[in-house]
Structures are given as structure tokens and as C-alpha cells.
Amino acid sequence: MRVTTRTTYWLEHAWLDTHVEPGVAVEVADGRITAVRTEVPAPPPGAEVLRGLTLPGLANAHSHAFHRALRGTVQVGSGTFWTWRELMYGFADQLTPETYHALARAVYAEMALAGVSCVGEFHYVHHAPGGTRYADPNAMGEALIAAAADAGIRITLLDTAYLSSGFGEPPNAHQLRFSDGSAEAWAERCSVLKERDHARIGAAIHSVRAVPAGQLATVAGWAEARRAPLHVHLSEQTAENDACLAAHGRTPTRLLADHGVLGPRTTGVHNTHLTDEDIALLGGSGTGTCMCPTTERDLADGIGPAVALQRAGSPLSLGSDSHAVIDLLEEARAMELNERLRTRTRGHWTAAALLRAASADGHAALGWDDAGAIETGMLADLTTIALDSVRTAGPLPRLGAETAVFAATAADVRHTVVAGRHVVRDGVHTLVPDVPQALARAVEALRA
């Protein structure tokens, strides 16, 4: 017999998509919101109290968990995306299912501390170094799914096809562990992965340089048959655009369109260097855009045309990608501030629009249409921002959305609730007692 678990949360201030509402009671049963009551000036008896501004849980729509090990190391000296990539390969070579689980658990716990309730993990480290398969061919993906559960957050595992090092080139020595050999073999392997309450399975095309054009449709077809999200790194670097034009006589976006990859369940990650035709193709097909501003500026990628993409019909989501920092509020702020620098004009998005990109639209990009809003029937995922820290004190509570986006940081996250369960309480993770120590140990294991 199933026992129903019920909790009432009292939100001192709640962002209800369009405005901040004081005194809101949220009733939860079995991980879902069953009622939202406004004009509740004091906590009901027995209610869990969330003081500050409560938002829907945040969705980190693009993550490479093992890149967290590069923080600091890749900030030494200068270089480009391509020199950064060589350092990244060195850490990827050290991963095992055990070390990856330990690192991802710590990284996902860091995300929970930053208010993230769901992560999209763009996963391509599938096999042992040299390409040898583990006894369980999905051992690495299973390690990530388990890590998310252990850290108390949801995950969409975007199992990634990565088959070549460039147009017409076989995988290099580092990339052998990423490759299944063909899109058909990739589909056979990832079809074994099973969804769980906290985990959904999606697909990814690493990039047009990493999946031969003739095999793009296989990956897209696998995702379409399952109505699963499909993500792809797209036009992050001008060098990729140039190589695609040389190999196929068309841009990466046009190549994807011609092979049936674009569509409303597809998200292009970065979408930085696009032509007007590219923007029209993405927007007209309803293909989403995941911007990762802290990584894009860290790698000197450039500033993508987010305003034009959204106007064309491409929904925007946000990700921390290489985890130069893990702070979805900073990603939201950076998208607006980058556009201000580029155009010398302020106010391209409202704070509410930026919060939606960090919550509801991010969840939708990851296949969680039932998350990202404080509404009856939605998953009970919440994050609470302090309004009394040195960064957030002063503004009127009704300006909480503006305060959260333009002043707060991940350090101001006070609570994170996932499926009605407190994962972060008063700034302390309830499942991973010492997150900094867990991160330090996991990163050190990869250096050993």
C-alpha cells in the first residue's frame, strides 16, 4: 500500500511567473504541488518556512560534469578553445565509472547549493580509454544517473553520439572512448538506458564535425521515436563553420536542417556564429537555444545572437557548460549584460523573462514540461534566494525578481527543494555534508 506524503511550504515571498507575491502557501503531496494559496500572511501550523524569495527550481540545461575538474587549471596563461580542449582531454582520460560518480555527485551537489533542481548532462565519455567497452556498456552514464540521485537533483542524461574528430576524420586517441563506431551502435547502446523518477533519457549530437552527415538522421530518428529531447553543440566556433562549408558547402545549421535534426524538441547549444538564414531556420523550426555565457566568455567564443533567435521563435534556456562557475543567476544576468555591451542598449529582457529561461524553459528543453513553475500539478521543485544578504538587502521585496537576476549570486541560495524534499536547507546540503571537501577529493583523484 502506497503511503502519501504531504508537506506544506510557506513562502515569505514567491515569484509567480509575472510578479512577486507575499505570503504564499504551497501544499505538496508525493512530490507534486497540489495547491497554491496566496494572501497567507503567516506560516500555517506545521508548515516548512522558506524565508526570502522562492522561485521554481532552476534548470541547468547544459553540463559536462567532468569539466568542473578544470576550474582554475585552464585559467593559467592564454590560448583558444582548441588549446583548452587539449587540457580537457587530459582529465577525460583519467575518468572511470567510480571516479566519475564521485566527481559528478559533488558537482551536482554544488548545483543544488546554487538552486539547480535539474541538470541536462551532455554525456559523451562512454567507454574505457582506447575505446574498450565496460562490462556494462552504459557504466559511465549509470554513474551520472546515480550521482544525480545521490545529490538529490533530477537529471536528463543526453547520451551523445561522438564518432569522428572532424569532417571525414576518425576519432583521435583521446576520442576513442567517446565513440561507438557508428550511429547505429550508439543507438543500440543507449536504448538500454532506463528512465527513473529522477532521470530521463535524451540524445545529443556532439557537433556536425563529430557525427558524419549521413548518420545525423539516425540520431534524430532515435530521439523522435521516443519523443526525447535532442541537443547539439552548434556553431560555437568559426573554425567549425569554415570546415563545414568546405566539406558540405553549407553552414552547420543548414546541414542539420537538411538531415531532419531541427525541431521543437531539439536544442542548439551556443548557436554563437550564425547567418541570418541560420537564425530563420532555427526560429522557424522551433529549435531551442541554450546559451552558456560564463563558458562562452571564458573560452572567448563570442556573444551569440540571443535576441534575434528568440524573436525568430527559438526558446532560450541557460547552462553552465564547463562550470567555470556554477551559477544560473549569473548565466541569466550575463546574457542580458553581454547584449548590452554588444548593442550599447539596456533592457533586452525583463527579469521575469530571464528567470523563465533559467527555470521553465530550461526544464522544457530537458523534457520536464511538468517542472519550472509554482503551480498546481507541477513538480514541487523550489529554490529560495535570501533577500537580506549584503548583495540583496535594500530593494523592495516586490522587486525580488530584479534583485535575484541583477544582484544575487549562487551564494544567496538559502533553500533548494526537489520533489517536495529539502535538499539544501539554510545553505547546507542535506545529503552531501561537506560539498567543498567532496569536490576537492574528487578532483584530486583525477590528478593522481
Side-chain angles (χ1 to χ4, degrees), residues 321-388:
D321 192 0
S322 69
H323 312 314
V325 296
I326 293 176
D327 188 339
L328 264 289
L329 299 174
E330 173 62 20
E331 302 295 345
R333 175 165 54 245
M335 188 163 70
E336 166 67 24
L337 298 186
N338 282 354
E339 195 67 19
R340 292 183 185 187
L341 286 174
R342 192 168 69 86
T343 64
R344 291 174 290 179
T345 303
R346 302 175 75 228
H348 300 276
W349 293 276
T350 64
L354 293 167
L355 287 177
R356 280 192 290 274
S359 55
D361 292 343
H363 282 100
L366 297 176
W368 297 86
D369 295 320
D370 51 352
I374 303 175
E375 297 175 0
T376 300
M378 302 295 276
L379 292 168
D381 299 352
L382 308 169
T383 187
T384 303
I385 309 296
L387 294 180
D388 57 0

Side-chain angles (χ1 to χ4, degrees), residues 132-360:
T132 303
R133 291 199 171 205
Y134 292 105
D136 175 0
N138 287 303
M140 296 294 268
E142 292 290 347
L144 292 165
I145 291 171
D150 292 344
I153 70 171
R154 304 183 194 278
I155 186 172
T156 295
L157 187 75
L158 298 161
D159 197 287
T160 305
Y162 195 138
L163 307 173
S164 60
S165 63
F167 297 96
E169 298 294 329
N172 66 32
H174 299 290
Q175 296 163 342
L176 288 171
R177 70 180 310 189
F178 308 162
S179 176
D180 290 294
S182 69
E184 290 78 10
W186 165 86
E188 181 180 358
R189 176 185 53 73
C190 62
S191 292
V192 178
L193 289 163
K194 302 299 183 186
E195 296 194 340
R196 278 141 258 199
D197 286 346
H198 81 290
R200 294 183 180 171
I201 308 301
I205 292 164
H206 180 273
S207 56
V208 293
R209 69 178 185 276
V211 176
Q215 300 186 57
L216 291 170
T218 299
V219 183
W222 185 94
E224 178 63 26
R226 290 160 180 76
R227 302 186 68 79
L230 172 62
H231 288 216
V232 54
H233 290 134
L234 180 57
S235 290
E236 181 179 5
Q237 294 289 322
T238 55
E240 177 178 279
N241 288 357
D242 294 343
C244 189
L245 286 165
H248 296 289
R250 66 198 84 177
T251 66
T253 300
R254 170 53 73 182
L255 186 68
L256 294 176
D258 290 348
H259 289 274
V261 175
L262 303 186
R265 281 191 298 278
T266 300
T267 298
V269 181
H270 305 301
N271 293 359
T272 308
H273 302 285
L274 303 176
T275 66
D276 290 344
E277 182 193 29
D278 292 340
I279 292 169
L281 285 169
L282 292 167
S285 62
T287 300
T289 295
C290 180
M291 303 297 291
C292 305
T294 66
T295 290
E296 289 151 6
R297 71 191 185 196
D298 182 54
L299 298 180
D301 287 343
I303 300 170
V307 171
L309 282 161
Q310 188 172 50
R311 286 176 178 165
S314 179
L316 300 179
S317 56
L318 296 165
S320 61
D321 192 0
S322 69
H323 312 314
V325 296
I326 293 176
D327 188 339
L328 264 289
L329 299 174
E330 173 62 20
E331 302 295 345
R333 175 165 54 245
M335 188 163 70
E336 166 67 24
L337 298 186
N338 282 354
E339 195 67 19
R340 292 183 185 187
L341 286 174
R342 192 168 69 86
T343 64
R344 291 174 290 179
T345 303
R346 302 175 75 228
H348 300 276
W349 293 276
T350 64
L354 293 167
L355 287 177
R356 280 192 290 274
S359 55

